[in-house]
């Protein structure tokens, strides 16, 4: 899936260059005063200002891509209740879940030709990656799988563009960096199909985390290239941090056999997003 998504993004951008949609290498159609391609100083389409040298402030933005778990544990053996009959193993998000998908939709407002404020809502989902080895309980091997991870939320950010540069695969790209912060609502997570030495341990799903709000922060880098007069596509990546999940103690309270395993303290992930922008 990772190769497919990255390949799709590369083909999409290189295809724009091959068709001549990426601009010329001399950037002759880039207007530094407005920060856009295809808008000359002498005339500003969709503009009502008298000077004709106007900045299109509002943009519609959206994107879709992959999310790769990059750090922190969802099963935390080091925080388990002391018990001489247990020897648990931690399980990371990367081991517990497959590569996820993330969709974004929102808008941006240009404070200056190369500076934009962004507000984007998102939905993210990761499927469990099969049975996980959780260590031993009373000398028997404990296994189980994590339920589907789902979240939705909103992030606000500040994006800074740089002057266009010549691309290797595509003709002309405009690099940028962006910082974001926001909140996300993460759905409840449980341990499914738990077994001890292959024998069912709990017929019902064992609750690990309650659905709750967590803080998020991200640092992103990307590039854009124009495909039409008012439309650009881009490819971005970076790293995102998410705060710790809320422990569910309804089954895993103090003194229980599995208590303390559900003490997540955060999560890191790496998004790779193919995104588009339409300016008004």
């Amino acid at each position: 899936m990772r190769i497919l998504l990255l390949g799709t993004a590369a083909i999409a951008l290189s295809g724009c260059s091959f068709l001549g949609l990426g601009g010329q290498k001399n950037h002759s159609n880039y207007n530094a005063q407005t920060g856009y391609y295809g808008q000359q100083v002498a005339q500003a389409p969709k503009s009502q200002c008298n000077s004709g040298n106007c900045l299109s402030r509002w943009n519609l933005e959206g994107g879709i891509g992959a999310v790769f778990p990059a750090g922190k544990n969802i099963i935390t053996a080091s925080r388990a209740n002391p018990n001489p009959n247990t020897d648990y193993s931690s399980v990371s998000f990367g081991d517990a879940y497959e590569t996820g998908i993330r969709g974004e939709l929102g808008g941006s407002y240009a404070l200056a030709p190369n500076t934009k404020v962004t507000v984007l809502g998102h939905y993210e989902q990761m499927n469990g990656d099969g049975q996980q080895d959780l260590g031993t309980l009373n000398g028997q091997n404990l296994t189980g799988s994590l339920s589907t991870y789902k979240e939705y939320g909103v992030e606000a950010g500040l994006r800074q563009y740089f002057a266009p540069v010549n691309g290797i695969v595509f003709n002309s790209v405009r690099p940028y960096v962006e910082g974001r912060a926001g909140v996300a609502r993460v759905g409840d997570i449980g341990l499914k199909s738990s077994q001890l030495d292959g024998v069912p341990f709990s017929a019902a799903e064992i609750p690990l985390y309650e659905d709750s709000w967590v803080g998020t922060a991200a640092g992103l880098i990307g590039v854009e290239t124009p495909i039409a007069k008012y439309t650009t596509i881009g490819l971005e990546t970076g790293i995102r941090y998410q705060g710790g999940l809320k422990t569910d103690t309804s089954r895993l309270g103090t003194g229980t056999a599995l208590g303390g395993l559900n003490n997540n303290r955060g999560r890191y992930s790496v998004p790779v997003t193919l995104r588009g922008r339409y300016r008004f």
Side-chain angles (χ1 to χ4, degrees):
M1 181 178 179
R2 181 181 306 184
I3 297 174
L4 176 62
L5 287 167
L6 293 176
T8 301
I11 292 170
L13 290 176
S14 61
C16 293
S17 169
F18 180 77
L19 295 173
L21 297 175
Q24 300 301 315
K25 290 211 180 253
N26 61 8
H27 313 300
S28 60
N29 63 339
Y30 176 74
N31 184 350
Q33 291 178 282
T34 63
Y36 295 115
Y37 293 88
Q39 180 171 320
Q40 303 301 323
V41 175
Q43 60 179 15
K46 296 194 176 182
S47 170
Q48 302 300 321
C49 63
N50 295 327
S51 67
N53 185 22
C54 298
L55 175 64
S56 296
R57 297 281 185 181
W58 296 100
N59 303 262
L60 177 65
E61 306 209 9
I64 189 168
V67 178
F68 304 104
K72 298 286 189 178
N73 294 325
I74 189 167
I75 300 294
T76 54
S78 62
R79 297 188 176 92
N81 294 332
N83 188 328
N85 298 317
T86 63
D87 184 14
Y88 294 125
S89 302
S90 293
V91 178
S92 69
F93 275 91
D95 290 332
Y97 287 102
E98 299 176 347
T99 299
I101 58 171
R102 181 184 176 95
E104 298 181 336
L105 183 64
S108 60
Y109 180 80
L111 300 176
N114 293 316
T115 306
K116 288 183 173 63
V117 173
T118 63
V119 177
L120 294 165
H122 73 269
Y123 175 80
E124 186 175 317
Q125 179 173 320
M126 297 186 296
N127 294 324
D129 194 14
Q131 291 288 98
Q132 303 297 316
D133 184 356
L134 307 181
T136 60
L137 172 62
N138 297 324
Q140 296 178 294
N141 190 45
L142 177 64
T143 60
S145 61
L146 279 297
S147 61
T148 301
Y149 177 98
K150 298 179 181 179
E151 77 165 63
Y152 63 87
V154 62
E155 290 181 332
L158 186 66
R159 183 185 302 157
Q160 179 64 43
Y161 287 91
F162 302 97
V165 297
N166 295 335
I168 298 176
V169 178
F170 35 93
N171 288 338
S172 178
V173 298
R174 194 178 176 205
Y176 65 86
V177 295
E178 182 174 354
R180 293 186 195 170
V183 293
R185 182 78 175 183
V186 180
D188 55 272
I189 298 174
L191 184 67
K192 305 186 303 179
S193 305
S194 56
Q195 298 178 354
L196 276 176
D197 281 350
V199 178
F201 174 67
S202 174
E205 181 177 302
I206 301 173
L208 297 177
Y209 300 100
E210 298 179 6
D211 60 325
S212 58
W213 290 99
V214 296
T216 65
L220 304 169
I221 59 173
V223 292
E224 283 188 359
T225 189
I227 59 172
K229 196 169 190 178
Y230 302 106
T231 306
T232 62
I233 62 170
L235 184 64
E236 84 180 11
T237 187
I239 189 164
R240 175 172 282 105
Y241 173 77
Q242 170 196 292
L245 302 173
K246 185 177 180 180
T247 299
D248 188 328
T249 58
S250 61
R251 289 279 304 276
L252 273 63
T254 302
T256 60
L258 304 181
L261 290 178
N262 51 345
N263 276 314
N264 165 257
R265 290 293 184 267
R267 167 182 168 240
Y268 290 99
S269 60
V270 175
V272 178
T273 306
L274 183 63
R275 47 177 297 271
R277 179 169 63 86
Y278 179 83
R279 63 184 177 89
F280 294 97

